[in-house]
């Protein structure tokens, strides 16, 4: 079944380092087990900026980026009785795992040895239509707005980080970095029972938003170590979530956490970064890395969005596809933007 009236669509196409264009391209042809989604909203992620800057190790031009998106199923190539039908409102779990390596075979497909993503290793959601495997489709409730549902993917990153941590009800958490992932991590830590969540950030715009959402916010430029200690009886945080991915914050994380505390590396570092391993030894710190999410994290993210309307405040811009360059420029500037969504 289908309600498509032509065989062409508009898409934002990555053409090489710092080059994108709006092109008319063929609507993807389906093969067995796939569905076609009419895109309503697509979020821009830090990994999309990495592709745009020519620094992503796998993404190759020409490519339609975008791995966090929502839309409506308009065509399927599925057997009778399939759970996914034309008209379903959906988002997509964009991870592509091999299913054969040791991580996959032990239930850890999200860290597959050859992990790929829709929008990075194949065309994604910066287009009017996108095709995906039906088993990657995740239905969203009829009463959830499509733009809000677009947050399920980035929120699942934060959910995964908190669920992998040792955070308990009543703990104090510090989140270093108040960008979209940092702010969503802070929201998730609070949702999970942290009694105090402290965010360290330098951007005045992001500091303002975090304060409006009820967090204790420290300016990272003003000796956050002294301030965190003052807020924690000179002990430090039970758990520190590093969500900035910058060399100075890797060192800061080992200072802000309590003795025997835990550091969760959420931010993606683009290069090898010095860490104070002597502090890890002498203070008996735990340090774990987290990557993307599991299907369970997606479900928890959906429930969080149902229960907390304030999460939608992370969305700062909704911009039409034909202004994709402006959207990317805003993301690069960062100062006056949070989560940006493109829509056809």
């Amino acid at each position: 079944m289908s309600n498509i009236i032509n065989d062409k669509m508009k898409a934002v196409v990555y053409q090489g380092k710092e080059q994108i264009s709006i092109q008319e391209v063929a609507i993807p042809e389906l093969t067995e087990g796939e569905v076609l989604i009419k895109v309503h909203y697509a979020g821009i992620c830090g990994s999309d900026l990495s592709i745009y800057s020519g620094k992503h190790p796998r993404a190759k031009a020409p490519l339609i980026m975008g791995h966090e998106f929502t839309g409506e199923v308009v065509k399927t190539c599925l057997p009778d009785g399939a759970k996914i039908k034309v008209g379903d409102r959906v988002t997509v779990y964009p991870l592509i795992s091999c299913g054969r390596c040791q991580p996959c075979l032990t239930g850890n497909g999200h860290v597959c040895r050859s992990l790929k993503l829709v929008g990075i290793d194949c065309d994604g959601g910066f287009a009017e239509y996108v095709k995906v495997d039906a088993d990657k489709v995740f239905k969203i409730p009829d009463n959830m707005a499509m733009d809000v549902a677009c947050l399920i993917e980035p929120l699942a990153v934060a959910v995964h980080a908190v669920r992998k941590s040792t955070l308990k009800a009543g703990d104090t958490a510090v989140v270093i970095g108040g960008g979209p992932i940092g702010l969503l991590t802070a929201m998730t830590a609070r949702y999970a029972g942290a009694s105090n969540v402290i965010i360290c950030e330098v951007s005045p715009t992001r500091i303002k938003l975090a304060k409006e959402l009820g967090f204790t916010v420290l300016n990272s430029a003003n000796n956050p170590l002294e301030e965190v200690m003052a807020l924690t009886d000179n002990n430090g945080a039970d758990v520190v979530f590093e969500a900035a991915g910058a060399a100075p914050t890797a060192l800061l994380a080992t200072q802000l956490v309590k003795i025997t505390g835990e550091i969760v590396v959420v931010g993606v570092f683009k290069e090898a970064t010095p860490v104070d391993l002597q502090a890890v030894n002498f203070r008996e710190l735990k340090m774990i890395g987290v990557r993307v999410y599991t299907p369970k994290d997606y479900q928890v993210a959906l429930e969080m969005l149902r229960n907390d309307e304030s999460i939608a405040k992370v969305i700062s811009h909704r911009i039409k596809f034909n202004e994709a360059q402006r959207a990317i420029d805003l993301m690069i500037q960062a100062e006056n933007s949070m989560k940006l969504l493109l829509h056809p």
Side-chain angles (χ1 to χ4, degrees), residues 154-177:
L155 180 56
V157 172
V159 168
H160 185 66
V162 174
R163 283 170 53 82
K164 288 281 285 185
S165 77
T166 58
L167 183 78
K168 303 178 199 56
D171 280 355
T172 293
V174 167
V175 178
I176 303 176

Side-chain angles (χ1 to χ4, degrees), residues 99-241:
R100 299 182 300 275
C101 67
Q102 186 269 341
C104 285
L105 293 174
T106 54
N108 296 295
H110 65 292
V111 284
C112 170
R113 287 186 180 276
S114 56
L115 186 69
K116 296 179 173 58
L117 269 81
V118 173
I120 295 177
D121 300 280
C122 62
D123 286 340
F126 289 2
E128 292 181 289
Y129 297 93
V130 58
K131 74 169 183 175
V132 298
D133 288 342
D135 61 3
K136 301 298 182 185
V137 170
F138 193 93
K139 292 184 183 180
I140 55 179
D142 290 340
N143 61 354
M144 184 177 288
M146 285 287 199
D147 55 347
V148 175
C150 214
L151 294 175
I152 291 174
E153 194 274 351
L155 180 56
V157 172
V159 168
H160 185 66
V162 174
R163 283 170 53 82
K164 288 281 285 185
S165 77
T166 58
L167 183 78
K168 303 178 199 56
D171 280 355
T172 293
V174 167
V175 178
I176 303 176
I181 295 298
L183 191 54
L184 290 171
T185 300
M187 291 176 165
T188 306
R190 182 164 63 187
Y191 186 82
S195 60
N196 189 18
V197 181
I198 302 165
I199 297 177
C200 299
E201 175 56 51
V202 293
S203 161
T205 303
R206 293 178 172 183
I207 288 173
K208 180 175 181 290
L209 176 58
K211 286 182 176 179
E212 288 173 357
L213 289 167
F215 294 106
T216 301
V217 189
L218 308 179
N219 191 320
S220 297
N222 300 332
N223 193 4
L225 174 58
E226 184 177 304
E227 294 181 89
V228 167
M229 290 302 163
L231 291 166
T232 59
D233 294 327
N234 208 39
N235 291 319
D238 295 288
V239 183
V240 171
F241 296 93

